[in-house]
C-alpha cells in the first residue's frame, strides 16, 4: 500500500509525511504548503487540507487520531477533524510563521514553535494559551515528552533545548548530530533518557551518558517504541535497525538503498 500511494500520487510532489498514531491515516505535505490526508487501509484520499490565503508548514495527529493540528505560515494553528478535514478551531498563535505543532499524549495540550523565537503551549479544547517560552533563535520543531514534563525544542541542526515545562528551566546538550530533526519518540517513556544520533544523554540535566561517535557509523535518526523496549535507528545510507533494550541486542536489520532519503515513523506502538 505504501508503495502504491507513493507511486500513484505523491512521488516528488509531497516530500513530507506524518503518520497517524493508530496506523489508520497518513498525511503528506510539500514545500508549497499543500497537504492531503489518506486512509491507510485502502490508499484513498480522505480530503485535501484547504486553507484560504494560507499554507501548511507542519501537521500533527492527536494520539487518538481524532484531530489534525496544522501549523500555518500565516501565524495560526488550525484544528481539523482528522477524518473529514472540517475546521474545529483556529488559534492566532504566533507573530510569525508557525513551524511545528504537536499534541501531548493525553491530547489535552498542544505545543507550537515559530520563527518568532517562541514556544507556546495551548489548551486543545479551548485554544487558550497556557505557557510561552522565549528562545535564543528561531525554533523549527517542538514536542512534549511522554509525561508532558519536558519539551524538546529543535533549534539548528546541532542545537537542541530541553525545557522543563513546570519551571521553564532549559538544558542545552553540547553537540547532537541532526538535532533539528529530533522528536518525542527519541525520549524513553520514563523521561529519563534521550537517544540522540551520536550519544545518549540524561534528560533532566543534559548530561552525556555515552558517546557513540567513535564506535558506530553515523546514526541518522533514533525512535523508541511507546513501551521503551525497542529502539529503531536509521544508520548511514544502508540500514534500518531494530534493537531490544531488554537484552541490549539487535533484533533485525532491514536493508535500504539509501536511508538518507526517507523519514522514519514509529506508529501504533
Amino acid at each position: 500500500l505504501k508503495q502504491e500511494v507513493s507511486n500513484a500520487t505523491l512521488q516528488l510532489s509531497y516530500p513530507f509525511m506524518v503518520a497517524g498514531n493508530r496506523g489508520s491515516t497518513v498525511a503528506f505535505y510539500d514545500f508549497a504548503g499543500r497537504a492531503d490526508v489518506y486512509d491507510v487501509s485502502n490508499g484513498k484520499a480522505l480530503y485535501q487540507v484547504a486553507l484560504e490565503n494560507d499554507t501548511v508548514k507542519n501537521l500533527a495527529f492527536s494520539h487518538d487520531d481524532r484531530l489534525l493540528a496544522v501549523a500555518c505560515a500565516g501565524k495560526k494553528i488550525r484544528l481539523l477533524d482528522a477524518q473529514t478535514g472540517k475546521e474545529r478551531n483556529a488559534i492566532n498563535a504566533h507573530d510569525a510563521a508557525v513551524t511545528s505543532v504537536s499534541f501531548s499524549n493525553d491530547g489535552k495540550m498542544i505545543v507550537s514553535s515559530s520563527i518568532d523565537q517562541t514556544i507556546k503551549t495551548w489548551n486543545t479544547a479551548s485554544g487558550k494559551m497556557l505557557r510561552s517560552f522565549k528562545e535564543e533563535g528561531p525554533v523549527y520543531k517542538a514536542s512534549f515528552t511522554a509525561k508532558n514534563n519536558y519539551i524538546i525544542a529543535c533549534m539548528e541542526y546541532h542545537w537542541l533545548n530541553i525545557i522543563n515545562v513546570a519551571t521553564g528551566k532549559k538544558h542545552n546538550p553540547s553537540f547532537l548530530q541532526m538535532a533539528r530533526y529530533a522528536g518525542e519518540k527519541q525520549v524513553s517513556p520514563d523521561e529519563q533518557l534521550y537517544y540522540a544520533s551520536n550519544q545518549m544523554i540524561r534528560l533532566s540535566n543534559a548530561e552525556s551518558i555515552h558517546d557513540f561517535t567513535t564506535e558506530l557509523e553515523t546514526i541518522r535518526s533514533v525512535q523508541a517504541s511507546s513501551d521503551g523496549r525497542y529502539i529503531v535507528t536509521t544508520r548511514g545510507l544502508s540500514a534500518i535497525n531494530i534493537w531490544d533494550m531488554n537484552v541490549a541486542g539487535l533484533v533485525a536489520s532491514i536493508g535500504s538503498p539509501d536511508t538518507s532519503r526517507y523519514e522514519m515513523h514509529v506508529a501504533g506502538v
Side-chain angles (χ1 to χ4, degrees):
L1 173 63
K2 182 179 179 181
Q3 188 68 31
E4 176 188 342
V5 172
S6 177
N7 287 343
T9 309
L10 306 168
Q11 191 176 20
L12 301 178
S13 297
Y14 291 77
F16 305 112
M17 182 186 79
V18 177
N21 294 283
R22 296 190 174 186
S24 59
T25 49
V26 62
F28 296 85
Y29 61 103
D30 64 9
F31 291 108
R34 298 167 298 188
D36 287 295
V37 179
Y38 286 79
D39 185 328
V40 173
S41 66
N42 55 29
K44 293 183 179 180
L46 294 174
Y47 57 89
Q48 184 174 72
V49 178
L51 305 177
E52 185 176 353
N53 300 320
D54 209 344
T55 55
V56 176
K57 298 294 289 184
N58 183 245
L59 300 168
F61 287 96
S62 60
H63 286 265
D64 60 7
D65 283 356
R66 293 184 178 181
L67 293 174
L68 179 66
V70 183
C72 301
K75 311 175 187 178
K76 291 184 178 182
I77 299 170
R78 299 180 186 271
L79 292 179
L80 311 181
D81 183 300
Q83 295 303 310
T84 66
K86 183 178 179 180
E87 187 169 287
R88 295 277 193 87
N89 196 6
I91 303 170
N92 293 313
H94 289 272
D95 295 328
V98 185
T99 53
S100 78
V101 283
S102 183
F103 286 90
S104 60
N105 273 334
D106 60 11
K108 295 180 178 180
M109 293 185 292
I110 295 170
V111 61
S112 63
S113 63
S114 173
I115 59 173
D116 68 3
Q117 304 184 15
T118 64
I119 297 167
K120 297 181 180 182
T121 59
W122 309 87
N123 181 289
T124 303
S126 67
K128 181 181 178 181
M129 188 179 74
L130 302 174
R131 294 288 302 271
S132 179
F133 304 93
K134 183 67 176 177
E135 299 303 308
E136 304 92 331
V139 189
Y140 296 99
K141 184 179 179 182
S143 54
F144 288 108
T145 53
K147 298 180 180 180
N148 308 326
N149 291 316
Y150 298 93
I151 292 172
I152 306 298
C154 308
M155 312 296 286
E156 289 294 345
Y157 285 99
H158 304 305
W159 177 15
L160 188 80
N161 281 343
I162 300 171
I163 304 169
N164 185 303
V165 175
T167 66
K169 186 176 180 180
K170 290 185 291 188
H171 298 294
N172 308 90
S174 57
F175 180 82
L176 295 177
Q177 293 180 0
M178 304 300 287
R180 183 168 171 176
Y181 299 101
E184 71 279 5
K185 285 186 179 289
Q186 293 181 226
V187 179
S188 62
D190 60 7
E191 297 188 337
Q192 296 299 307
L193 300 175
Y194 181 89
Y195 308 110
S197 58
N198 63 325
Q199 62 182 295
M200 184 182 295
I201 65 174
R202 199 178 306 280
L203 200 64
S204 60
N205 58 11
E207 173 192 1
S208 179
I209 298 173
H210 192 80
D211 193 315
F212 300 101
T213 305
T214 60
E215 302 172 15
L216 298 171
E217 181 183 354
T218 301
I219 297 175
R220 182 175 181 270
S221 62
V222 185
Q223 289 195 14
S225 63
S226 57
D227 61 4
R229 178 172 179 177
Y230 298 101
I231 293 177
V232 182
T233 66
T234 56
R235 176 175 56 83
L237 303 179
S238 58
I240 299 171
N241 290 335
I242 303 173
W243 307 83
D244 187 333
M245 296 302 287
N246 286 357
V247 298
L250 180 67
V251 175
S253 183
I254 306 168
S256 176
D258 183 357
T259 58
S260 68
R261 297 175 57 204
Y262 304 98
E263 280 193 70
M264 178 177 64
H265 297 268
V266 179
V269 293

